Amino acid sequence: MRIAIGDFLLSRLQDAGITEIIGVPGDFNLNLIEQIDAREGIRFVGTCNELNAAYAADGYARSRGLGALLTTYGVGS
């Protein structure tokens, strides 16, 4: 059985209790964001820049025990 790496990663994050992935969309992560949007039980929360994403993911992790941050170079897609 073949599974896309994004689906594998998202499954493991969901298993760990992640329901939101915080980050900045860009040219090189749009496919993963589309995979997130297609899944039940997890969503992408976009921010204006990497610093805001990092602070939000840190706050999420402090309140929930684990956080997830998704960013890329080539931001601004």
Side-chain angles (χ1 to χ4, degrees), residues 22-72:
I22 302 162
V24 182
D27 295 341
F28 300 101
N29 65 10
L30 291 178
N31 288 335
L32 184 56
I33 292 171
E34 289 174 356
Q35 288 176 302
I36 295 167
D37 289 342
R39 286 184 84 86
E40 293 289 325
I42 194 165
R43 69 186 181 119
F44 178 75
V45 178
T47 62
C48 297
N49 59 50
E50 294 87 345
L51 183 62
N52 290 346
Y55 283 139
D58 179 59
Y60 183 97
R62 289 172 190 252
S63 67
R64 303 272 309 262
L66 181 67
L69 172 71
L70 174 62
T71 191
T72 184

